[in-house]
Amino acid sequence: MKLNITALADRMIWFITLIFLVLSLTISFALGEANYGAYVLFVCLFGLIIFYLIREQGVIKLRLNWMHAYMLLFIGACYLSAINATDTAVAMSRSFDMVKIFFMLIILYMCYQDKKSVDTLLKIGMWTGYIVCFYTVYFYGLDYFITVLSSSARIANDALNANTVGLLGANAIVMTLYYMLYDRPRWWHVIALPTLGILAATGSRKALVFVGVGTVLLFIFKSFRSANAVNSIVKVIGSLLGLTIIGIAVLQLPMFSEVLDRMSNMMEAFTGTGGDSSTIIRLALVDIGWDLFYQSPITGVGINNPSVYTFFVYGKDNYYLHNNYIELLAGTGVIGLIAYYSMYLYVAYNLIRYRDIHSNEYIMVLILFLSQIVMDMGMVSYESKSTYFYIMLFYLEVQILRKGRKHEVQKIV
């Protein structure tokens, strides 16, 4: 009976984590005018603690690691930035948000710290993407999405930001492909096909690039599994040719015309030969970010305070700089940027040090990690709870790799 209760509690922890992650992304528009979203998320975290205690028979195993230490450093940098902030209240409010995320991290890490695999977390991330994508369809209505796809437009931002929906869908699609290639195909994998249509409707350039690059990397790493170098090279070339043909054929579908036009406009903007308003505004926001950084290079102008400056320029509330590096550099200065990305530097160092190309999970985690580093150049991610969910996943993978390497050394000795 104890084993059944333990398994049930563990399953409930998985389910509540999934619900928490979905709600953290959707609750702001799912509740409409209601303002009790924070309480709902708190109830989810409290539920995690309850079922954790049931699973561990009342014993709390609270262990902190470098992830928590770096997070505390970043929180300190956020509060430090409030000293010179243009709007101190905005900086203090966002700093307190980081404190709440820190406690969320403690609870989540406590629930998953002893897992021997990150597969559970990968599936939570994948299903979060699918649920949010299909909830967005429900929010706008299926007819609306069909109209958007048939008219080569993109969905509005009345609910979740279109780029966020696109990236969540892209994550889900790439992870589904991972399970198809490295595990085995299952009937539910067909859910990736309608999600590809949702991705097209978002018009997200980042999402399309991530699906393409993520797919290529999965096939390349799969091909390198062969012991014969020549065989591996042939497989890589064959995979790339096959994916190129399939990719070109898929992109000819009318539903991708909008995102391809946006890609073309972006390239024109970077080369100075044209460009759409979105890309031009993003380039202007980067310039604003650099100007703010020069005003206060050490501690920044205040966390989340770039939105105060952009409001005077564009008249939009909470209008961030669309670049996580520039946003942190402007808001928290060099101190904040280094404190935040120290979390990633630690992961990068250890993913290289304990690399295991024959581990399926290592491949998927590496792709997700690299995508986050690159995508931060076109999005602001530091304030999202889902970002720290993935950071925790990266740290747990490093922890598992380290234990595996120590076990191998002990066997040799």
Side-chain angles (χ1 to χ4, degrees):
M1 190 63 180
K2 286 185 178 179
L3 289 176
N4 290 336
I5 293 175
T6 299
L8 176 61
D10 199 51
R11 177 56 61 178
M12 287 303 300
I13 288 173
W14 183 95
F15 179 72
I16 294 174
T17 304
L18 174 64
I19 295 300
F20 176 85
L21 208 57
V22 170
L23 289 178
S24 71
L25 292 161
T26 63
I27 202 165
S28 60
F29 64 87
L31 292 179
E33 296 297 323
N35 59 359
Y36 51 83
Y39 299 104
V40 175
L41 295 178
F42 174 79
V43 169
C44 289
L45 292 177
F46 185 73
L48 285 176
I49 295 173
I50 295 299
F51 283 104
Y52 169 83
L53 290 173
I54 293 173
R55 188 186 69 184
E56 304 298 331
Q57 299 179 16
V59 179
I60 297 178
K61 303 173 184 177
L62 181 60
R63 294 196 296 269
L64 303 180
N65 64 12
W66 283 105
M67 173 185 67
H68 302 98
Y70 288 129
M71 187 64 186
L72 284 175
L73 283 175
F74 178 59
I75 290 172
C78 291
Y79 277 105
L80 182 64
S81 73
I83 296 176
N84 293 323
T86 303
D87 191 326
T88 304
V90 169
M92 293 297 287
S93 176
R94 180 52 55 85
S95 298
F96 186 59
D97 288 341
M98 294 299 104
V99 173
K100 289 185 285 187
I101 288 176
F102 175 73
F103 284 106
M104 175 206 77
L105 263 182
I106 290 178
I107 295 171
L108 285 176
Y109 182 78
M110 186 173 64
C111 290
Y112 294 96
Q113 62 190 352
D114 293 323
K115 293 290 184 181
K116 297 180 180 179
S117 166
V118 296
D119 183 70
T120 298
L121 295 171
L122 287 173
K123 287 177 177 173
I124 289 174
M126 179 184 68
W127 285 112
T128 295
Y130 283 132
I131 292 171
V132 172
C133 282
F134 284 96
Y135 180 80
T136 305
V137 173
Y138 169 78
F139 181 88
Y140 287 114
L142 182 59
D143 291 341
Y144 172 81
F145 264 82
I146 294 175
T147 301
V148 167
L149 289 174
S150 61
S151 61
S152 299
R154 65 184 308 215
I155 63 172
N157 293 317
D158 297 335
L160 198 60
N161 181 274
N163 284 319
T164 302
V165 175
L167 283 171
L168 288 168
N171 261 9
I173 291 169
V174 172
M175 281 193 265
T176 300
L177 184 59
Y178 157 74
Y179 283 112
M180 291 176 65
L181 287 173
Y182 291 81
D183 186 7
R184 66 180 187 273
R186 300 175 187 272
W187 66 267
W188 56 264
H189 288 162
V190 297
I191 196 174
L193 294 178
T195 306
L196 192 62
I198 298 172
L199 186 155
T202 66
S204 174
R205 294 170 288 205
K206 293 186 289 291
L208 184 62
V209 169
F210 177 56
V211 169
V213 174
T215 300
V216 169
L217 289 177
L218 283 174
F219 274 92
I220 288 176
F221 283 122
K222 182 74 172 178
S223 300
F224 276 128
R225 292 289 178 83
S226 176
N228 188 305
V230 175
N231 193 27
S232 293
I233 293 173
V234 171
K235 285 184 176 180
V236 169
I237 294 174
S239 297
L240 291 177
L241 286 175
L243 290 172
T244 300
I245 294 171
I246 294 172
I248 292 174
V250 170
L251 292 176
Q252 299 308 307
L253 296 173
M255 66 180 183
F256 286 105
S257 60
E258 169 66 15
V259 67
L260 289 178
D261 285 342
R262 298 186 75 235
M263 292 281 286
S264 176
N265 290 330
M266 181 181 69
M267 296 304 298
E268 290 176 357
F270 281 119
T271 57
T273 58
D276 60 342
S277 59
S278 175
T279 305
I280 293 172
I281 289 175
R282 286 169 185 257
L283 293 175
L285 289 171
V286 169
D287 290 336
I288 291 174
W290 280 117
D291 290 339
L292 296 177
F293 168 66
Y294 294 140
Q295 290 182 26
S296 183
I298 306 301
T299 60
V301 297
I303 186 75
N304 200 30
N305 267 240
S307 63
V308 177
Y309 290 87
T310 56
F311 176 80
F312 293 111
V313 179
Y314 297 101
K316 297 182 180 180
D317 290 323
N318 299 316
Y319 199 51
Y320 45 86
L321 299 180
H322 289 76
N323 183 310
N324 204 57
Y325 300 97
I326 300 298
E327 179 80 20
L328 289 176
L329 201 58
T332 62
V334 174
I335 293 177
L337 183 72
I338 292 175
Y340 180 80
Y341 280 103
S342 290
M343 289 186 280
Y344 287 91
L345 288 173
Y346 177 90
V347 172
Y349 170 76
N350 285 283
L351 286 179
I352 295 172
R353 182 181 181 185
Y354 300 111
R355 62 190 177 278
D356 184 1
I357 201 71
H358 296 290
S359 166
N360 295 342
E361 290 181 2
Y362 175 82
I363 299 302
M364 190 65 248
V365 170
L366 180 62
I367 291 173
L368 289 173
F369 177 75
L370 292 175
S371 72
Q372 185 65 53
I373 295 295
V374 175
M375 294 302 172
D376 274 359
M377 291 188 289
M379 60 186 287
V380 173
S381 63
Y382 81 89
E383 87 289 5
S384 173
K385 295 178 181 65
S386 62
T387 296
Y388 297 92
F389 168 83
Y390 280 104
I391 288 176
M392 180 189 71
L393 188 155
F394 301 150
Y395 271 79
L396 285 170
E397 175 64 15
V398 165
Q399 177 179 298
I400 293 167
L401 290 169
R402 185 185 293 116
K403 287 181 179 178
R405 185 64 60 84
K406 286 182 180 179
H407 182 67
E408 290 177 3
V409 171
Q410 289 173 356
K411 287 176 64 176
I412 295 174
V413 174

